Amino acid sequence: MAQQYKVTVRSKLLPFLFETLDGWSKKSVKQRLQGSSVFVNGQVQTKHDFMLNVEDIVEIGVVQRTGHTNKQHLTKLEIIYQDKDLIAINKPAGLLSVGTTKENKQHALALLRSQLSRAKNSVKLWPVHRLDRDTSGILLFATSKEVREAVMEKWPVSQKTYLAIVESTPKENQGTIDQPLRIDDKEYRMHVGEHPDAKRAVTHYAVQQTTDTRSLLEVNIETGRQHQIRAHMAWLGHPIIGDERYGTKGGRMGLHAYRLKIYHPVKKNTLELEIDAPRDFYALLD
């Protein structure tokens, strides 16, 4: 259910939200506003200076959950950045980053190639990294192997920020998980802890918002191990909502690739990408 508030004093929307949601960080409030999760009299409102009148009804949350995008009919992806060397999309939850078989063409790489290609100009793309099927957010592709390799050379020092909704609330408002990870090929899951085959993995988290049973975290990862955030948060005792492999099965996993900051190897500058989580992600907090 969405949280509902009645306006008692004429004011602009963002100051009203800051005052009303005094337990939230300003960053979380702005994310909700930008993510189309604020409603005024039943209508989505994203303008921070929208003028509220007395008796207006402001709702924070999602009036109706939309669920997963129907991947069977998905033909176009949201491109959030594009130049001749790099392309970034906003991958929806439930869509594979790349195909597992030649026959499987319902994945981000194939869809983007099809979307950008023309009859006499077939576009070639190389994935710079991957997101788990049920993780939404920024997914980066290169238009050549050389550019991909150049980006990957500095990938360890890139900044990778996620939003995560987890069960209950961590004891500390912010913390670091420095626990090695190793893959179990039979179970296809990560084991946390010291082991000869384990590799270093470091995850930083900060609590942004809490409810009675769940919390919204901002998560930064120094390393990029498979399932790193999912395994680390489960080890901490706060598994990602909807993560069947490390927690409890649900309709949508609460993990979103929110920000990516990298060195552009061709333009020789810093490229910072950011995309807020969709409404069905924030609905997991309700």
Side-chain angles (χ1 to χ4, degrees):
M1 296 293 293
Q3 297 169 289
Q4 190 175 101
Y5 306 91
K6 182 180 286 187
V7 178
T8 58
V9 179
R10 179 176 166 82
S11 68
K12 292 182 179 180
L13 180 55
L14 189 58
F16 171 84
L17 294 174
F18 285 157
E19 182 177 352
T20 304
L21 306 172
D22 57 356
W24 295 27
S25 70
K26 288 187 176 182
K27 188 172 185 179
S28 292
V29 173
K30 290 178 181 178
Q31 286 173 347
R32 282 299 186 98
L33 187 60
Q34 295 167 358
S36 300
S37 295
V38 175
F39 299 77
V40 178
N41 300 326
Q43 299 295 317
V44 173
Q45 186 54 253
T46 59
K47 295 182 179 179
H48 65 88
D49 58 352
F50 180 81
M51 186 58 67
L52 300 172
N53 295 308
V54 176
E55 301 296 321
D56 280 350
I57 300 298
V58 177
E59 294 174 282
I60 296 92
V62 178
V63 174
Q64 181 178 3
R65 299 188 184 194
T66 58
H68 282 4
T69 303
N70 186 344
K71 304 304 177 301
Q72 297 300 319
H73 299 94
L74 184 63
T75 58
K76 191 172 183 180
L77 297 168
E78 179 186 0
I79 296 174
I80 59 177
Y81 177 84
Q82 182 176 5
D83 62 29
K84 65 182 182 63
D85 305 296
L86 295 171
I87 301 173
I89 67 165
N90 181 16
K91 187 187 84 66
L95 180 68
L96 286 168
S97 295
V98 299
T100 54
T101 65
K102 291 184 178 180
E103 290 74 24
N104 181 5
K105 295 183 179 181
Q106 194 65 19
H107 55 85
L109 176 59
L111 290 173
L112 188 59
R113 279 175 175 165
S114 176
Q115 181 175 330
L116 297 175
S117 295
R118 299 295 180 264
K120 296 182 180 181
N121 183 21
S122 180
V123 173
K124 293 184 178 181
L125 296 170
W126 285 261
V128 174
H129 65 127
R130 299 186 186 189
L131 296 178
D132 295 335
R133 179 200 290 267
D134 293 318
T135 300
S136 58
I138 300 169
L139 185 61
L140 187 65
F141 296 90
T143 58
S144 71
K145 289 183 179 179
E146 292 76 17
V147 170
R148 177 188 181 277
E149 291 172 359
V151 174
M152 291 306 298
E153 280 183 10
K154 293 186 179 293
W155 193 253
V157 296
S158 63
Q159 295 181 22
K160 302 168 282 287
T161 305
Y162 291 74
L163 297 176
I165 296 177
V166 302
E167 293 182 9
S168 65
T169 303
K171 294 180 180 179
E172 304 292 336
N173 282 333
Q174 59 184 21
T176 296
I177 304 169
D178 188 352
Q179 289 288 330
L181 298 172
R182 64 181 175 91
I183 186 71
D184 185 323
D185 292 325
K186 292 183 179 180
E187 297 182 3
Y188 190 57
R189 60 178 288 135
M190 282 290 185
H191 291 292
V192 183
E194 296 293 339
H195 188 276
D197 297 330
K199 296 181 180 180
R200 181 173 180 265
V202 180
T203 301
H204 307 284
Y205 68 88
V207 178
Q208 299 294 309
Q209 182 187 339
T210 62
T211 65
D212 291 340
T213 59
R214 298 178 176 183
S215 299
L216 171 66
L217 310 182
E218 182 174 288
V219 181
N220 288 277
I221 54 176
E222 287 189 19
T223 51
R225 307 301 178 197
Q226 192 172 35
H227 297 180
Q228 177 174 323
I229 298 174
R230 297 165 63 184
H232 269 174
M233 294 314 303
W235 174 86
L236 191 66
H238 303 282
I240 304 290
I241 295 298
D243 187 353
E244 182 178 4
R245 191 174 302 278
Y246 297 94
T248 304
K249 185 178 181 179
R252 196 252 198 251
M253 189 166 73
L255 191 59
H256 175 79
Y258 168 57
R259 186 186 300 116
L260 179 63
K261 191 174 182 180
I262 66 166
Y263 177 75
H264 196 303
V266 179
K267 293 187 175 182
K268 308 296 183 183
N269 61 9
T270 298
L271 174 63
E272 184 168 355
L273 307 171
E274 184 175 305
I275 188 72
D276 196 15
R279 289 170 56 192
D280 66 341
F281 172 89
Y282 287 115
L284 298 173
L285 276 172
D286 298 333

